[in-house]
Amino acid sequence: MTTEEKLKHFLDTCMEDARTRSSRMLDEYTAALEKAFEEHQQEAKRRAQMQVRQETEKIERDLNKQLSLAQLEQKRALGRRQEELKEKLFEKLSERLMDYRKTPEYRKQLERQIQAASAFARGENLVIYLDPSDEDKREAFEQQYPQIQIKVSDYTFSGGTRAVISNRNILIDNSFATRLAEAKENFHFDLQMITDKTETRGNSSEGRA
């Protein structure tokens, strides 16, 4: 083999080795890049998932807060509306009582209250107080119940009677003002009943349609 042939063979061998080494280094570098890229993808995906989860939780918290505020405002609005309706209801009731006090049945009710108070007193000192607007009935009651003191109160209580048994420090309060106040204090709207009636009316309308 000539020197030129030896040199060519040496160059070919070096080039082949260089190509082999370059190919292997390129493969290793490519594999490293792919691994780094995959790790980067996983890390980016993990961060994205974490961010999505955090944003989702934040949105849920905001929605829950807004919902709570809306529910609170709704309850307040409902409470105000109930109070308005309650006031109107008892205004109407007061008007009905005013009309009732003009009837013979009202006088009979006063008589029943006087008789019940007298029976409870069992002969002890008893004073019956009438509302100032019922002063016109005083004389007739004094004649009807001579054993009982019938007086007109200095303060209005919207009708009915108040009886005092002084020996026992007992007040029998059958005044309309007290009865109305007690009824107003204990009055509550039955929302479930209202809802049921509303649904019933809705179903009836659908049936008619």
Side-chain angles (χ1 to χ4, degrees):
M1 181 179 295
T2 66
T3 302
E4 290 182 358
E5 290 175 344
K6 290 180 180 179
L7 180 59
K8 183 177 182 303
H9 176 72
F10 175 74
L11 287 174
D12 291 342
T13 301
C14 289
M15 290 296 295
E16 182 66 26
D17 182 65
R19 282 194 293 270
T20 302
R21 288 175 179 271
S22 298
S23 178
R24 184 169 63 250
M25 290 174 64
L26 182 60
D27 291 342
E28 292 174 354
Y29 184 69
T30 301
L33 286 177
E34 290 178 349
K35 182 179 180 182
F37 179 69
E38 184 179 353
E39 291 176 350
H40 176 74
Q41 278 187 317
Q42 292 177 351
E43 178 63 19
K45 185 176 180 181
R46 186 187 66 80
R47 287 198 302 267
Q49 289 175 342
M50 181 180 296
Q51 186 175 3
V52 169
R53 183 166 61 251
Q54 291 174 345
E55 290 296 324
T56 302
E57 291 174 354
K58 182 177 181 298
I59 292 172
E60 288 178 351
R61 286 195 300 270
D62 291 343
L63 287 176
N64 289 334
K65 183 179 179 180
Q66 292 176 11
L67 180 60
S68 297
L69 291 174
Q71 288 176 336
L72 181 60
E73 180 56 33
Q74 186 179 33
K75 288 180 180 179
R76 288 174 178 171
L78 180 60
R80 290 192 295 268
R81 183 56 178 165
Q82 286 180 344
E83 285 300 316
E84 292 174 2
L85 293 176
K86 185 177 178 179
E87 290 297 327
K88 290 182 180 179
L89 175 63
F90 278 87
E91 285 176 8
K92 290 292 183 182
L93 184 56
S94 296
E95 293 174 2
R96 295 286 297 273
L97 284 175
M98 290 290 292
D99 294 337
Y100 169 71
R101 291 176 63 191
K102 300 174 184 177
T103 66
E105 286 75 14
Y106 173 62
R107 191 183 190 284
K108 292 179 182 178
Q109 183 175 2
L110 294 180
E111 290 180 10
R112 289 193 295 270
Q113 290 180 358
I114 293 171
Q115 292 167 1
S118 178
F120 184 81
R122 299 177 184 175
E124 296 190 51
N125 184 44
L126 173 66
V127 180
I128 298 291
Y129 289 92
L130 299 176
D131 187 83
S133 60
D134 291 328
E135 186 173 6
D136 59 326
K137 303 176 180 62
R138 174 182 177 181
E139 185 176 350
F141 283 144
E142 285 179 331
Q143 296 176 2
Q144 189 173 354
Y145 304 101
Q147 76 282 10
I148 301 174
Q149 295 184 63
I150 308 291
K151 295 184 178 182
V152 175
S153 174
D154 295 331
Y155 308 98
T156 182
F157 44 78
S158 303
T161 62
R162 284 176 175 164
V164 176
I165 305 173
S166 56
N167 294 345
R168 290 191 279 172
N169 294 321
I170 293 177
L171 169 65
I172 303 174
D173 190 349
N174 287 317
S175 65
F176 287 180
T178 298
R179 292 289 180 268
L180 276 174
E182 291 174 349
K184 190 173 183 179
E185 182 179 358
N186 296 323
F187 179 84
H188 298 286
F189 286 97
D190 190 340
L191 296 180
Q192 184 60 45
M193 182 179 295
I194 294 174
T195 302
D196 292 343
K197 288 183 178 180
T198 302
E199 291 178 352
T200 300
R201 286 198 296 269
N203 293 335
S204 298
S205 299
E206 291 176 3
R208 288 194 297 273

PDB file of all heavy atoms in Angstrom, residues 38-72:
ATOM      1  N   GLU A  38     -39.357  17.713  27.811  1.00  0.00           N
ATOM      2  CA  GLU A  38     -40.423  16.957  28.461  1.00  0.00           C
ATOM      3  C   GLU A  38     -40.587  17.395  29.917  1.00  0.00           C
ATOM      4  O   GLU A  38     -41.715  17.580  30.403  1.00  0.00           O
ATOM      5  CB  GLU A  38     -40.128  15.462  28.390  1.00  0.00           C
ATOM      6  CG  GLU A  38     -41.247  14.601  28.962  1.00  0.00           C
ATOM      7  CD  GLU A  38     -40.944  13.116  28.854  1.00  0.00           C
ATOM      8  OE1 GLU A  38     -39.930  12.767  28.214  1.00  0.00           O
ATOM      9  OE2 GLU A  38     -41.717  12.322  29.426  1.00  0.00           O
ATOM     10  N   GLU A  39     -39.446  17.572  30.593  1.00  0.00           N
ATOM     11  CA  GLU A  39     -39.508  18.032  31.986  1.00  0.00           C
ATOM     12  C   GLU A  39     -40.103  19.438  32.066  1.00  0.00           C
ATOM     13  O   GLU A  39     -40.884  19.753  32.970  1.00  0.00           O
ATOM     14  CB  GLU A  39     -38.110  18.013  32.600  1.00  0.00           C
ATOM     15  CG  GLU A  39     -37.558  16.609  32.819  1.00  0.00           C
ATOM     16  CD  GLU A  39     -36.131  16.630  33.344  1.00  0.00           C
ATOM     17  OE1 GLU A  39     -35.516  17.735  33.346  1.00  0.00           O
ATOM     18  OE2 GLU A  39     -35.616  15.558  33.726  1.00  0.00           O
ATOM     19  N   HIS A  40     -39.715  20.268  31.099  1.00  0.00           N
ATOM     20  CA  HIS A  40     -40.252  21.620  31.058  1.00  0.00           C
ATOM     21  C   HIS A  40     -41.766  21.582  30.821  1.00  0.00           C
ATOM     22  O   HIS A  40     -42.537  22.340  31.437  1.00  0.00           O
ATOM     23  CB  HIS A  40     -39.564  22.416  29.943  1.00  0.00           C
ATOM     24  CG  HIS A  40     -40.131  23.798  29.770  1.00  0.00           C
ATOM     25  ND1 HIS A  40     -39.886  24.824  30.653  1.00  0.00           N
ATOM     26  CD2 HIS A  40     -40.948  24.311  28.796  1.00  0.00           C
ATOM     27  CE1 HIS A  40     -40.515  25.907  30.248  1.00  0.00           C
ATOM     28  NE2 HIS A  40     -41.159  25.619  29.120  1.00  0.00           N
ATOM     29  N   GLN A  41     -42.194  20.707  29.904  1.00  0.00           N
ATOM     30  CA  GLN A  41     -43.621  20.561  29.640  1.00  0.00           C
ATOM     31  C   GLN A  41     -44.371  20.128  30.892  1.00  0.00           C
ATOM     32  O   GLN A  41     -45.439  20.664  31.225  1.00  0.00           O
ATOM     33  CB  GLN A  41     -43.846  19.534  28.520  1.00  0.00           C
ATOM     34  CG  GLN A  41     -43.671  20.085  27.116  1.00  0.00           C
ATOM     35  CD  GLN A  41     -44.073  19.059  26.085  1.00  0.00           C
ATOM     36  OE1 GLN A  41     -43.732  17.869  26.196  1.00  0.00           O
ATOM     37  NE2 GLN A  41     -44.793  19.497  25.055  1.00  0.00           N
ATOM     38  N   GLN A  42     -43.823  19.125  31.577  1.00  0.00           N
ATOM     39  CA  GLN A  42     -44.465  18.626  32.796  1.00  0.00           C
ATOM     40  C   GLN A  42     -44.535  19.711  33.864  1.00  0.00           C
ATOM     41  O   GLN A  42     -45.562  19.865  34.544  1.00  0.00           O
ATOM     42  CB  GLN A  42     -43.712  17.398  33.310  1.00  0.00           C
ATOM     43  CG  GLN A  42     -43.821  16.180  32.407  1.00  0.00           C
ATOM     44  CD  GLN A  42     -43.003  15.004  32.900  1.00  0.00           C
ATOM     45  OE1 GLN A  42     -42.215  15.152  33.839  1.00  0.00           O
ATOM     46  NE2 GLN A  42     -43.163  13.846  32.263  1.00  0.00           N
ATOM     47  N   GLU A  43     -43.419  20.455  34.001  1.00  0.00           N
ATOM     48  CA  GLU A  43     -43.395  21.529  34.995  1.00  0.00           C
ATOM     49  C   GLU A  43     -44.384  22.632  34.624  1.00  0.00           C
ATOM     50  O   GLU A  43     -45.116  23.151  35.480  1.00  0.00           O
ATOM     51  CB  GLU A  43     -41.981  22.106  35.113  1.00  0.00           C
ATOM     52  CG  GLU A  43     -41.854  23.256  36.086  1.00  0.00           C
ATOM     53  CD  GLU A  43     -42.162  22.873  37.516  1.00  0.00           C
ATOM     54  OE1 GLU A  43     -42.132  21.654  37.838  1.00  0.00           O
ATOM     55  OE2 GLU A  43     -42.433  23.784  38.328  1.00  0.00           O
ATOM     56  N   ALA A  44     -44.403  22.963  33.338  1.00  0.00           N
ATOM     57  CA  ALA A  44     -45.343  23.991  32.877  1.00  0.00           C
ATOM     58  C   ALA A  44     -46.787  23.525  33.072  1.00  0.00           C
ATOM     59  O   ALA A  44     -47.667  24.295  33.476  1.00  0.00           O
ATOM     60  CB  ALA A  44     -45.081  24.309  31.407  1.00  0.00           C
ATOM     61  N   LYS A  45     -47.024  22.242  32.782  1.00  0.00           N
ATOM     62  CA  LYS A  45     -48.359  21.686  32.963  1.00  0.00           C
ATOM     63  C   LYS A  45     -48.757  21.694  34.431  1.00  0.00           C
ATOM     64  O   LYS A  45     -49.893  22.022  34.787  1.00  0.00           O
ATOM     65  CB  LYS A  45     -48.398  20.265  32.405  1.00  0.00           C
ATOM     66  CG  LYS A  45     -49.771  19.623  32.430  1.00  0.00           C
ATOM     67  CD  LYS A  45     -49.741  18.254  31.784  1.00  0.00           C
ATOM     68  CE  LYS A  45     -51.115  17.599  31.800  1.00  0.00           C
ATOM     69  NZ  LYS A  45     -51.089  16.245  31.193  1.00  0.00           N
ATOM     70  N   ARG A  46     -47.784  21.331  35.295  1.00  0.00           N
ATOM     71  CA  ARG A  46     -48.058  21.320  36.733  1.00  0.00           C
ATOM     72  C   ARG A  46     -48.381  22.730  37.233  1.00  0.00           C
ATOM     73  O   ARG A  46     -49.332  22.924  37.995  1.00  0.00           O
ATOM     74  CB  ARG A  46     -46.855  20.762  37.484  1.00  0.00           C
ATOM     75  CG  ARG A  46     -47.076  20.576  38.990  1.00  0.00           C
ATOM     76  CD  ARG A  46     -45.780  20.171  39.673  1.00  0.00           C
ATOM     77  NE  ARG A  46     -44.798  21.237  39.606  1.00  0.00           N
ATOM     78  CZ  ARG A  46     -44.809  22.296  40.434  1.00  0.00           C
ATOM     79  NH1 ARG A  46     -45.747  22.425  41.348  1.00  0.00           N
ATOM     80  NH2 ARG A  46     -43.872  23.221  40.318  1.00  0.00           N
ATOM     81  N   ARG A  47     -47.569  23.718  36.769  1.00  0.00           N
ATOM     82  CA  ARG A  47     -47.830  25.094  37.178  1.00  0.00           C
ATOM     83  C   ARG A  47     -49.174  25.587  36.652  1.00  0.00           C
ATOM     84  O   ARG A  47     -49.914  26.284  37.345  1.00  0.00           O
ATOM     85  CB  ARG A  47     -46.706  26.001  36.673  1.00  0.00           C
ATOM     86  CG  ARG A  47     -45.395  25.850  37.420  1.00  0.00           C
ATOM     87  CD  ARG A  47     -44.488  27.057  37.184  1.00  0.00           C
ATOM     88  NE  ARG A  47     -44.212  27.248  35.772  1.00  0.00           N
ATOM     89  CZ  ARG A  47     -43.165  26.749  35.142  1.00  0.00           C
ATOM     90  NH1 ARG A  47     -42.284  25.991  35.804  1.00  0.00           N
ATOM     91  NH2 ARG A  47     -42.976  26.979  33.855  1.00  0.00           N
ATOM     92  N   ALA A  48     -49.477  25.183  35.403  1.00  0.00           N
ATOM     93  CA  ALA A  48     -50.758  25.598  34.815  1.00  0.00           C
ATOM     94  C   ALA A  48     -51.923  24.994  35.590  1.00  0.00           C
ATOM     95  O   ALA A  48     -52.929  25.669  35.867  1.00  0.00           O
ATOM     96  CB  ALA A  48     -50.815  25.185  33.346  1.00  0.00           C
ATOM     97  N   GLN A  49     -51.802  23.697  35.927  1.00  0.00           N
ATOM     98  CA  GLN A  49     -52.857  23.045  36.694  1.00  0.00           C
ATOM     99  C   GLN A  49     -53.027  23.698  38.066  1.00  0.00           C
ATOM    100  O   GLN A  49     -54.147  23.894  38.537  1.00  0.00           O
ATOM    101  CB  GLN A  49     -52.538  21.555  36.850  1.00  0.00           C
ATOM    102  CG  GLN A  49     -52.673  20.762  35.556  1.00  0.00           C
ATOM    103  CD  GLN A  49     -52.236  19.324  35.717  1.00  0.00           C
ATOM    104  OE1 GLN A  49     -51.530  18.972  36.667  1.00  0.00           O
ATOM    105  NE2 GLN A  49     -52.645  18.473  34.778  1.00  0.00           N
ATOM    106  N   MET A  50     -51.881  24.018  38.689  1.00  0.00           N
ATOM    107  CA  MET A  50     -51.928  24.676  39.990  1.00  0.00           C
ATOM    108  C   MET A  50     -52.591  26.048  39.888  1.00  0.00           C
ATOM    109  O   MET A  50     -53.422  26.437  40.717  1.00  0.00           O
ATOM    110  CB  MET A  50     -50.515  24.814  40.565  1.00  0.00           C
ATOM    111  CG  MET A  50     -50.467  25.475  41.942  1.00  0.00           C
ATOM    112  SD  MET A  50     -48.775  25.606  42.582  1.00  0.00           S
ATOM    113  CE  MET A  50     -48.355  23.855  42.741  1.00  0.00           C
ATOM    114  N   GLN A  51     -52.230  26.780  38.823  1.00  0.00           N
ATOM    115  CA  GLN A  51     -52.818  28.095  38.627  1.00  0.00           C
ATOM    116  C   GLN A  51     -54.317  27.997  38.356  1.00  0.00           C
ATOM    117  O   GLN A  51     -55.108  28.784  38.877  1.00  0.00           O
ATOM    118  CB  GLN A  51     -52.124  28.806  37.459  1.00  0.00           C
ATOM    119  CG  GLN A  51     -52.580  30.247  37.276  1.00  0.00           C
ATOM    120  CD  GLN A  51     -51.794  30.957  36.193  1.00  0.00           C
ATOM    121  OE1 GLN A  51     -50.937  30.367  35.539  1.00  0.00           O
ATOM    122  NE2 GLN A  51     -52.068  32.235  36.001  1.00  0.00           N
ATOM    123  N   VAL A  52     -54.683  27.004  37.539  1.00  0.00           N
ATOM    124  CA  VAL A  52     -56.110  26.794  37.260  1.00  0.00           C
ATOM    125  C   VAL A  52     -56.859  26.461  38.540  1.00  0.00           C
ATOM    126  O   VAL A  52     -57.953  26.972  38.803  1.00  0.00           O
ATOM    127  CB  VAL A  52     -56.302  25.677  36.216  1.00  0.00           C
ATOM    128  CG1 VAL A  52     -57.772  25.265  36.133  1.00  0.00           C
ATOM    129  CG2 VAL A  52     -55.798  26.128  34.857  1.00  0.00           C
ATOM    130  N   ARG A  53     -56.260  25.570  39.361  1.00  0.00           N
ATOM    131  CA  ARG A  53     -56.892  25.190  40.618  1.00  0.00           C
ATOM    132  C   ARG A  53     -57.039  26.402  41.548  1.00  0.00           C
ATOM    133  O   ARG A  53     -58.096  26.596  42.163  1.00  0.00           O
ATOM    134  CB  ARG A  53     -56.086  24.080  41.291  1.00  0.00           C
ATOM    135  CG  ARG A  53     -56.721  23.562  42.579  1.00  0.00           C
ATOM    136  CD  ARG A  53     -56.083  22.258  43.023  1.00  0.00           C
ATOM    137  NE  ARG A  53     -54.654  22.422  43.286  1.00  0.00           N
ATOM    138  CZ  ARG A  53     -53.698  21.925  42.529  1.00  0.00           C
ATOM    139  NH1 ARG A  53     -53.993  21.246  41.430  1.00  0.00           N
ATOM    140  NH2 ARG A  53     -52.411  22.107  42.833  1.00  0.00           N
ATOM    141  N   GLN A  54     -55.973  27.207  41.633  1.00  0.00           N
ATOM    142  CA  GLN A  54     -56.015  28.394  42.490  1.00  0.00           C
ATOM    143  C   GLN A  54     -57.063  29.390  41.987  1.00  0.00           C
ATOM    144  O   GLN A  54     -57.819  29.954  42.783  1.00  0.00           O
ATOM    145  CB  GLN A  54     -54.633  29.051  42.542  1.00  0.00           C
ATOM    146  CG  GLN A  54     -53.593  28.228  43.290  1.00  0.00           C
ATOM    147  CD  GLN A  54     -52.194  28.840  43.194  1.00  0.00           C
ATOM    148  OE1 GLN A  54     -51.933  29.699  42.360  1.00  0.00           O
ATOM    149  NE2 GLN A  54     -51.295  28.375  44.061  1.00  0.00           N
ATOM    150  N   GLU A  55     -57.087  29.599  40.675  1.00  0.00           N
ATOM    151  CA  GLU A  55     -58.069  30.522  40.106  1.00  0.00           C
ATOM    152  C   GLU A  55     -59.487  29.996  40.300  1.00  0.00           C
ATOM    153  O   GLU A  55     -60.407  30.760  40.581  1.00  0.00           O
ATOM    154  CB  GLU A  55     -57.795  30.743  38.612  1.00  0.00           C
ATOM    155  CG  GLU A  55     -56.547  31.548  38.319  1.00  0.00           C
ATOM    156  CD  GLU A  55     -56.652  32.967  38.860  1.00  0.00           C
ATOM    157  OE1 GLU A  55     -57.756  33.533  38.827  1.00  0.00           O
ATOM    158  OE2 GLU A  55     -55.623  33.511  39.307  1.00  0.00           O
ATOM    159  N   THR A  56     -59.644  28.672  40.127  1.00  0.00           N
ATOM    160  CA  THR A  56     -60.963  28.066  40.331  1.00  0.00           C
ATOM    161  C   THR A  56     -61.427  28.245  41.770  1.00  0.00           C
ATOM    162  O   THR A  56     -62.590  28.611  42.032  1.00  0.00           O
ATOM    163  CB  THR A  56     -60.923  26.564  39.983  1.00  0.00           C
ATOM    164  OG1 THR A  56     -60.509  26.401  38.629  1.00  0.00           O
ATOM    165  CG2 THR A  56     -62.305  25.934  40.177  1.00  0.00           C
ATOM    166  N   GLU A  57     -60.513  27.987  42.717  1.00  0.00           N
ATOM    167  CA  GLU A  57     -60.855  28.166  44.120  1.00  0.00           C
ATOM    168  C   GLU A  57     -61.189  29.621  44.429  1.00  0.00           C
ATOM    169  O   GLU A  57     -62.116  29.904  45.195  1.00  0.00           O
ATOM    170  CB  GLU A  57     -59.695  27.683  44.994  1.00  0.00           C
ATOM    171  CG  GLU A  57     -59.482  26.168  44.954  1.00  0.00           C
ATOM    172  CD  GLU A  57     -58.237  25.731  45.712  1.00  0.00           C
ATOM    173  OE1 GLU A  57     -57.478  26.631  46.165  1.00  0.00           O
ATOM    174  OE2 GLU A  57     -58.024  24.515  45.857  1.00  0.00           O
ATOM    175  N   LYS A  58     -60.425  30.537  43.825  1.00  0.00           N
ATOM    176  CA  LYS A  58     -60.692  31.963  44.038  1.00  0.00           C
ATOM    177  C   LYS A  58     -62.058  32.343  43.481  1.00  0.00           C
ATOM    178  O   LYS A  58     -62.839  33.076  44.124  1.00  0.00           O
ATOM    179  CB  LYS A  58     -59.600  32.804  43.362  1.00  0.00           C
ATOM    180  CG  LYS A  58     -59.754  34.301  43.566  1.00  0.00           C
ATOM    181  CD  LYS A  58     -58.597  35.046  42.923  1.00  0.00           C
ATOM    182  CE  LYS A  58     -58.722  36.549  43.148  1.00  0.00           C
ATOM    183  NZ  LYS A  58     -59.930  37.108  42.548  1.00  0.00           N
ATOM    184  N   ILE A  59     -62.361  31.841  42.289  1.00  0.00           N
ATOM    185  CA  ILE A  59     -63.662  32.127  41.681  1.00  0.00           C
ATOM    186  C   ILE A  59     -64.789  31.563  42.540  1.00  0.00           C
ATOM    187  O   ILE A  59     -65.825  32.208  42.764  1.00  0.00           O
ATOM    188  CB  ILE A  59     -63.727  31.555  40.248  1.00  0.00           C
ATOM    189  CG1 ILE A  59     -62.775  32.337  39.340  1.00  0.00           C
ATOM    190  CG2 ILE A  59     -65.150  31.609  39.696  1.00  0.00           C
ATOM    191  CD1 ILE A  59     -62.615  31.752  37.952  1.00  0.00           C
ATOM    192  N   GLU A  60     -64.592  30.331  43.046  1.00  0.00           N
ATOM    193  CA  GLU A  60     -65.605  29.710  43.897  1.00  0.00           C
ATOM    194  C   GLU A  60     -65.814  30.515  45.174  1.00  0.00           C
ATOM    195  O   GLU A  60     -66.948  30.712  45.622  1.00  0.00           O
ATOM    196  CB  GLU A  60     -65.196  28.270  44.238  1.00  0.00           C
ATOM    197  CG  GLU A  60     -65.307  27.310  43.061  1.00  0.00           C
ATOM    198  CD  GLU A  60     -64.841  25.908  43.428  1.00  0.00           C
ATOM    199  OE1 GLU A  60     -64.282  25.751  44.534  1.00  0.00           O
ATOM    200  OE2 GLU A  60     -65.049  24.989  42.608  1.00  0.00           O
ATOM    201  N   ARG A  61     -64.690  30.992  45.763  1.00  0.00           N
ATOM    202  CA  ARG A  61     -64.809  31.804  46.976  1.00  0.00           C
ATOM    203  C   ARG A  61     -65.557  33.107  46.681  1.00  0.00           C
ATOM    204  O   ARG A  61     -66.431  33.522  47.455  1.00  0.00           O
ATOM    205  CB  ARG A  61     -63.424  32.110  47.543  1.00  0.00           C
ATOM    206  CG  ARG A  61     -62.750  30.935  48.220  1.00  0.00           C
ATOM    207  CD  ARG A  61     -61.565  31.398  49.066  1.00  0.00           C
ATOM    208  NE  ARG A  61     -60.551  32.078  48.271  1.00  0.00           N
ATOM    209  CZ  ARG A  61     -59.533  31.459  47.689  1.00  0.00           C
ATOM    210  NH1 ARG A  61     -59.388  30.139  47.796  1.00  0.00           N
ATOM    211  NH2 ARG A  61     -58.639  32.145  46.991  1.00  0.00           N
ATOM    212  N   ASP A  62     -65.216  33.730  45.545  1.00  0.00           N
ATOM    213  CA  ASP A  62     -65.886  34.976  45.166  1.00  0.00           C
ATOM    214  C   ASP A  62     -67.378  34.745  44.919  1.00  0.00           C
ATOM    215  O   ASP A  62     -68.228  35.540  45.340  1.00  0.00           O
ATOM    216  CB  ASP A  62     -65.234  35.573  43.913  1.00  0.00           C
ATOM    217  CG  ASP A  62     -63.831  36.098  44.192  1.00  0.00           C
ATOM    218  OD1 ASP A  62     -63.514  36.300  45.379  1.00  0.00           O
ATOM    219  OD2 ASP A  62     -63.061  36.279  43.232  1.00  0.00           O
ATOM    220  N   LEU A  63     -67.673  33.640  44.227  1.00  0.00           N
ATOM    221  CA  LEU A  63     -69.077  33.327  43.950  1.00  0.00           C
ATOM    222  C   LEU A  63     -69.847  33.053  45.240  1.00  0.00           C
ATOM    223  O   LEU A  63     -70.979  33.510  45.405  1.00  0.00           O
ATOM    224  CB  LEU A  63     -69.167  32.119  43.008  1.00  0.00           C
ATOM    225  CG  LEU A  63     -68.785  32.371  41.546  1.00  0.00           C
ATOM    226  CD1 LEU A  63     -68.823  31.059  40.761  1.00  0.00           C
ATOM    227  CD2 LEU A  63     -69.734  33.377  40.908  1.00  0.00           C
ATOM    228  N   ASN A  64     -69.220  32.287  46.154  1.00  0.00           N
ATOM    229  CA  ASN A  64     -69.873  32.001  47.426  1.00  0.00           C
ATOM    230  C   ASN A  64     -70.102  33.274  48.228  1.00  0.00           C
ATOM    231  O   ASN A  64     -71.148  33.445  48.875  1.00  0.00           O
ATOM    232  CB  ASN A  64     -69.034  31.010  48.240  1.00  0.00           C
ATOM    233  CG  ASN A  64     -69.059  29.608  47.657  1.00  0.00           C
ATOM    234  OD1 ASN A  64     -70.014  29.233  46.977  1.00  0.00           O
ATOM    235  ND2 ASN A  64     -68.027  28.832  47.902  1.00  0.00           N
ATOM    236  N   LYS A  65     -69.115  34.171  48.181  1.00  0.00           N
ATOM    237  CA  LYS A  65     -69.253  35.443  48.886  1.00  0.00           C
ATOM    238  C   LYS A  65     -70.393  36.271  48.298  1.00  0.00           C
ATOM    239  O   LYS A  65     -71.232  36.814  49.026  1.00  0.00           O
ATOM    240  CB  LYS A  65     -67.939  36.222  48.810  1.00  0.00           C
ATOM    241  CG  LYS A  65     -67.962  37.528  49.578  1.00  0.00           C
ATOM    242  CD  LYS A  65     -66.613  38.228  49.486  1.00  0.00           C
ATOM    243  CE  LYS A  65     -66.642  39.547  50.244  1.00  0.00           C
ATOM    244  NZ  LYS A  65     -65.327  40.241  50.168  1.00  0.00           N
ATOM    245  N   GLN A  66     -70.418  36.341  46.966  1.00  0.00           N
ATOM    246  CA  GLN A  66     -71.482  37.088  46.298  1.00  0.00           C
ATOM    247  C   GLN A  66     -72.847  36.467  46.567  1.00  0.00           C
ATOM    248  O   GLN A  66     -73.840  37.176  46.778  1.00  0.00           O
ATOM    249  CB  GLN A  66     -71.215  37.141  44.794  1.00  0.00           C
ATOM    250  CG  GLN A  66     -69.999  37.967  44.416  1.00  0.00           C
ATOM    251  CD  GLN A  66     -69.701  37.923  42.931  1.00  0.00           C
ATOM    252  OE1 GLN A  66     -70.511  37.450  42.139  1.00  0.00           O
ATOM    253  NE2 GLN A  66     -68.525  38.399  42.541  1.00  0.00           N
ATOM    254  N   LEU A  67     -72.893  35.131  46.565  1.00  0.00           N
ATOM    255  CA  LEU A  67     -74.139  34.433  46.840  1.00  0.00           C
ATOM    256  C   LEU A  67     -74.617  34.712  48.260  1.00  0.00           C
ATOM    257  O   LEU A  67     -75.805  34.964  48.493  1.00  0.00           O
ATOM    258  CB  LEU A  67     -73.954  32.927  46.630  1.00  0.00           C
ATOM    259  CG  LEU A  67     -75.187  32.046  46.885  1.00  0.00           C
ATOM    260  CD1 LEU A  67     -76.316  32.441  45.959  1.00  0.00           C
ATOM    261  CD2 LEU A  67     -74.841  30.575  46.706  1.00  0.00           C
ATOM    262  N   SER A  68     -73.682  34.678  49.212  1.00  0.00           N
ATOM    263  CA  SER A  68     -74.031  34.954  50.609  1.00  0.00           C
ATOM    264  C   SER A  68     -74.554  36.375  50.766  1.00  0.00           C
ATOM    265  O   SER A  68     -75.556  36.609  51.469  1.00  0.00           O
ATOM    266  CB  SER A  68     -72.814  34.738  51.514  1.00  0.00           C
ATOM    267  OG  SER A  68     -72.388  33.388  51.474  1.00  0.00           O
ATOM    268  N   LEU A  69     -73.880  37.323  50.109  1.00  0.00           N
ATOM    269  CA  LEU A  69     -74.330  38.714  50.177  1.00  0.00           C
ATOM    270  C   LEU A  69     -75.705  38.879  49.536  1.00  0.00           C
ATOM    271  O   LEU A  69     -76.561  39.602  50.067  1.00  0.00           O
ATOM    272  CB  LEU A  69     -73.314  39.623  49.479  1.00  0.00           C
ATOM    273  CG  LEU A  69     -71.955  39.786  50.173  1.00  0.00           C
ATOM    274  CD1 LEU A  69     -71.003  40.597  49.307  1.00  0.00           C
ATOM    275  CD2 LEU A  69     -72.122  40.441  51.540  1.00  0.00           C
ATOM    276  N   ALA A  70     -75.906  38.193  48.415  1.00  0.00           N
ATOM    277  CA  ALA A  70     -77.212  38.279  47.731  1.00  0.00           C
ATOM    278  C   ALA A  70     -78.307  37.673  48.597  1.00  0.00           C
ATOM    279  O   ALA A  70     -79.422  38.220  48.692  1.00  0.00           O
ATOM    280  CB  ALA A  70     -77.145  37.563  46.381  1.00  0.00           C
ATOM    281  N   GLN A  71     -78.011  36.532  49.225  1.00  0.00           N
ATOM    282  CA  GLN A  71     -78.997  35.893  50.095  1.00  0.00           C
ATOM    283  C   GLN A  71     -79.315  36.773  51.300  1.00  0.00           C
ATOM    284  O   GLN A  71     -80.470  36.892  51.711  1.00  0.00           O
ATOM    285  CB  GLN A  71     -78.475  34.531  50.563  1.00  0.00           C
ATOM    286  CG  GLN A  71     -78.453  33.479  49.469  1.00  0.00           C
ATOM    287  CD  GLN A  71     -77.832  32.184  49.936  1.00  0.00           C
ATOM    288  OE1 GLN A  71     -77.044  32.152  50.878  1.00  0.00           O
ATOM    289  NE2 GLN A  71     -78.176  31.090  49.272  1.00  0.00           N
ATOM    290  N   LEU A  72     -78.266  37.401  51.864  1.00  0.00           N
ATOM    291  CA  LEU A  72     -78.468  38.292  53.006  1.00  0.00           C
ATOM    292  C   LEU A  72     -79.331  39.481  52.625  1.00  0.00           C
ATOM    293  O   LEU A  72     -80.259  39.853  53.355  1.00  0.00           O
ATOM    294  CB  LEU A  72     -77.114  38.763  53.540  1.00  0.00           C
ATOM    295  CG  LEU A  72     -77.150  39.696  54.759  1.00  0.00           C
ATOM    296  CD1 LEU A  72     -77.836  39.007  55.935  1.00  0.00           C
ATOM    297  CD2 LEU A  72     -75.738  40.122  55.139  1.00  0.00           C
TER     298      LEU A  72
END
